[in-house]
């Protein structure tokens, strides 16, 4: 009877141990952090999928490898360092062919007697955090730089005025004009920054409405046509001459956007098309409907954008030619804002360009079906 009882108990405890192990296995498998254990000689005995992915080897392959080799720490850190100094440290896994940086936390596996039988390393992915940190540092440095340039110029003109230029009316007027321009630019930049910050924090008021894109796009283009007409009349204010061609689908295209914000985006792209084009160019505005998307595009015959810069064009403060953009009063933030805004409408914005030939900016949006529109009307009634 005793033997039977004992055997039942042994069976029960084996089951408990197995259940525990399964639970541990499943925790390890589903952890986003990498975990690996090694014996006191440093040979890996357990490794979860996340850790294997970080170092770029199969789990089976990793078992038995030395932990220092597996983490590409040769020459930087020894097993002894890891056992004696339990501070966490960073591991750059670019050596393993992965663009990943992880923070490694080490703890020891100790028996009750105090004998150290191995170690456990937890790897936490900090790549994204590092990217954000470096972007933030860069952003602060960019903002400071961008504001310092106009401020320095304002100061030197004000100094010159104070030192006597104020007595020469013509020169004084010139200097004041410059000061006015620079201050305007700083105000524009601060406004752009505030707008970006509202977009980042999600506190921007976005009022989505189903809008007829044909009319909205036309409205924006009409204003530019008006500017051209006015310029032609006032020949004494020589501005650029250009003409606008419309290639719109005959169908009505509806999409859900914030009309004010979307107008700003189109304005910005149109302004750029004028700004970065020589005289006499044609700007072509297109609106087409594909199977699932509405696509608006604006093509110019201007300077174009070098291929290497195409990916950066929507980054904050990025300009192909800083001095030209500044001379035109640009802040380098317009396209960054446009991108954020279009993404708020679940749209996409991108550019295609050939240097010295011209650029085409595209915006694609999901369109609202005419049939759905009619249904909405019925619902409303
Ligand atoms: P900016 O205030 O400098 O115009 P944007 O964010 O609107 O800032 O544009 C960023 C940069 O992209 C510009 O400085 C310019 O170099 C380039 N760019 C934008 N639109 C065009 C275009 N239509 N043709 C050529 N380059 C352009």
């Amino acid at each position: 009877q005793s033997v039977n009882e004992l055997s039942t108990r042994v069976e029960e405890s084996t089951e408990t141990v197995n259940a525990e192990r399964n639970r541990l296995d499943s925790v390890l498998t589903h952890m986003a952090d990498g975990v690996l254990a090694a014996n006191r000689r440093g040979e890996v005995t357990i490794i979860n999928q996340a850790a294997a992915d970080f170092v770029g080897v199969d789990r089976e392959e990793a078992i038995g490898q030395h932990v220092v080799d597996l983490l590409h720490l040769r020459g930087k850190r020894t097993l002894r360092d890891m056992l004696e100094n339990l501070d966490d440290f960073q591991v750059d896994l670019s050596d393993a062919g992965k663009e990943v940086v992880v923070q490694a936390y080490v703890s020891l596996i100790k028996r009750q007697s105090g004998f150290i039988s191995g170690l456990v390393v937890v790897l936490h992915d900090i790549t994204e955090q590092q990217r954000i940190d470096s972007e933030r540092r860069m952003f602060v440095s960019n903002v400071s730089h961008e504001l310092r340039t106009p401020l320095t110029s304002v100061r030197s003109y004000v100094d010159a005025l104070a030192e006597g230029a104020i007595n020469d009316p013509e020169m004084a007027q010139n200097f004041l004009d410059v000061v006015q321009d620079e201050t305007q630019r700083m105000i524009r930049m601060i406004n752009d920054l505030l707008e970006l910050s509202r977009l980042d924090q999600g506190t921007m008021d976005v009022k989505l409405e189903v809008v007829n894109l044909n009319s909205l796009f036309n409205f924006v283009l009409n204003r530019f046509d008006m500017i051209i007409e006015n310029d032609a009349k006032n020949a004494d204010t020589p501005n650029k001459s250009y003409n606008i061609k419309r290639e719109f689908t005959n169908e009505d295209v509806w999409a859900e956007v914030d009309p004010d914000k979307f107008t700003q985006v189109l304005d910005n792209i149109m302004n750029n098309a004028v700004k970065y084009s020589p005289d006499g160019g044609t700007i072509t505005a297109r609106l087409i409907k594909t199977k699932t998307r509405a696509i608006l595009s604006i093509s110019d015959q201007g300077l174009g954008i070098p291929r290497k810069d195409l990916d950066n064009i929507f980054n904050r403060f990025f300009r192909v030619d800083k001095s030209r953009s500044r001379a035109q009063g640009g802040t380098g933030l317009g396209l960054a804002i446009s991108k954020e805004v279009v993404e708020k409408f679940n749209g996409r914005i991108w550019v295609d360009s050939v240097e010295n030939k011209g650029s085409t900016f595209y915006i694609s949006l999901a369109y609202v079906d005419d049939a759905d529109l009619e249904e909405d009307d019925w619902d409303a009634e």
Side-chain angles (χ1 to χ4, degrees), residues 116-132:
I116 294 169
S117 62
L119 77 169
V120 174
V121 186
V122 176
L123 305 171
H124 181 68
D125 190 346
I126 54 166
T127 322
E128 184 64 10
Q129 189 56 43
Q130 283 218 322
R131 193 184 57 77
I132 293 170

Side-chain angles (χ1 to χ4, degrees), residues 195-207:
E195 186 147 350
L196 267 176
S197 142
R198 276 195 292 269
L199 281 161
D200 284 346
Q201 293 178 4
T203 50
M204 160 145 328
D205 241 0
V206 185
K207 296 193 188 70

Side-chain angles (χ1 to χ4, degrees), residues 268 272-273 275-276 300 304-305 313 318-321 325 330-336 359 361:
N268 179 37
N272 279 347
K275 235 174 13 183
Y276 301 107
D300 62 55
I305 299 157
I313 208 85
F318 181 86
R319 290 106 145 198
V320 175
D321 180 341
S325 158
T331 60
L333 293 171
L335 286 177
S359 317
F361 283 83

Side-chain angles (χ1 to χ4, degrees), residues 36 82-83 86 105-110 116 118-122:
L36 57 90
M82 283 160 84
L83 292 170
L86 294 180
Y105 302 86
V106 182
S107 50
L108 302 178
I109 310 174
K110 271 190 196 162
I116 294 169
L119 77 169
V120 174
V121 186
V122 176

Side-chain angles (χ1 to χ4, degrees), residues 192 268-277 298 300 302-306 312-322 324-326 328-338 351 353 358-361:
D192 282 357
N268 179 37
I269 298 177
M270 278 301 292
N271 265 321
N272 279 347
V274 176
K275 235 174 13 183
Y276 301 107
S277 293
I298 294 173
D300 62 55
L303 307 170
I305 299 157
N312 300 321
I313 208 85
F314 295 97
N315 290 350
R316 296 169 188 195
F317 292 120
F318 181 86
R319 290 106 145 198
V320 175
D321 180 341
K322 274 202 190 279
R324 182 185 339 246
S325 158
R326 280 213 193 94
Q328 308 257 16
T331 60
L333 293 171
L335 286 177
I337 295 177
S338 301
V351 61
S353 179
S359 317
T360 303
F361 283 83

Side-chain angles (χ1 to χ4, degrees), residues 35-48 51-52 55 57-71 79 82 118-121 123:
V35 179
L36 57 90
N39 60 24
R40 55 182 288 116
R41 285 188 301 279
E43 294 154 1
V44 173
T45 51
I46 298 175
I47 181 164
N48 74 349
V55 294
V57 294
D58 285 339
R59 284 175 64 196
E60 295 79 37
E61 221 180 296
I63 302 290
Q65 277 198 38
H66 200 280
V67 60
V68 169
D69 291 326
L70 195 66
L71 296 180
L79 180 62
M82 283 160 84
L119 77 169
V120 174
V121 186
L123 305 171

